[in-house]
Amino acid sequence: AMYDQSKGKITLVVTTATEGIIHTGSGTVTQATDHTTGVTINSSSGVIQLAAVALAATTNAEFTVTNSYAKAVSVILVTMQDENTVNNKQLACAIHTVADGSFKISIVNPHSASATSATASKIHFLIVNPS
């Protein structure tokens, strides 16, 4: 990282990294019951292991993530680590309703005819705050 004292800013330049970007404040949590059960995880990045239940075709489910790092102005990045064992059934995820202390994640099975397997997929997240 380079600090520009005249502008009071830090610029991050990664030209080569043998271990990628390391974030030591990451957390994990496991969702209980089903895909609508909320979770609490107070870290700026982490992994949410979803409940090991099937999601029906063309169905959305959403849950609230309670997180003290979340702010109404946060940029929250999410990716799905899909662990389905049924061919061509892949979950997707998105966020909405970002507020101070929480945000919601919506997951969907876009397949037109079949449910996903009852396996525990994971959602990885990173919260970026402007200050």
Side-chain angles (χ1 to χ4, degrees):
M2 296 181 293
Y3 179 70
D4 183 340
Q5 186 173 2
S6 66
K7 296 179 183 174
K9 297 179 180 180
I10 295 176
T11 301
L12 176 65
V13 178
V14 179
T15 56
T16 183
T18 58
E19 298 187 32
I21 296 172
I22 298 171
H23 183 275
T24 59
S26 191
T28 59
V29 67
T30 299
Q31 184 182 48
T33 314
D34 61 37
H35 294 141
T36 63
T37 305
V39 299
T40 298
I41 181 168
N42 291 312
S43 60
S44 58
S45 70
V47 178
I48 301 166
Q49 181 171 310
L50 298 176
V53 296
L55 187 61
T58 66
T59 301
N60 284 59
E62 72 176 36
F63 63 95
T64 299
V65 178
T66 301
N67 185 303
S68 60
Y69 288 83
K71 303 196 180 319
V73 295
S74 295
V75 173
I76 301 174
L77 308 173
V78 291
T79 58
M80 177 66 74
Q81 179 182 336
D82 192 309
E83 297 294 340
N84 277 290
T85 57
V86 180
N87 289 338
N88 302 317
K89 314 307 180 283
Q90 187 173 33
L91 292 171
C93 64
I95 64 154
H96 65 91
T97 316
V98 178
D100 289 349
S102 69
F103 57 96
K104 291 186 179 184
I105 295 179
S106 176
I107 61 173
V108 62
N109 171 6
H111 195 271
S112 62
S114 300
T116 64
S117 60
T119 53
S121 293
K122 297 176 182 178
I123 296 175
H124 301 253
F125 73 91
L126 173 66
I127 299 173
V128 181
N129 287 317
S131 61

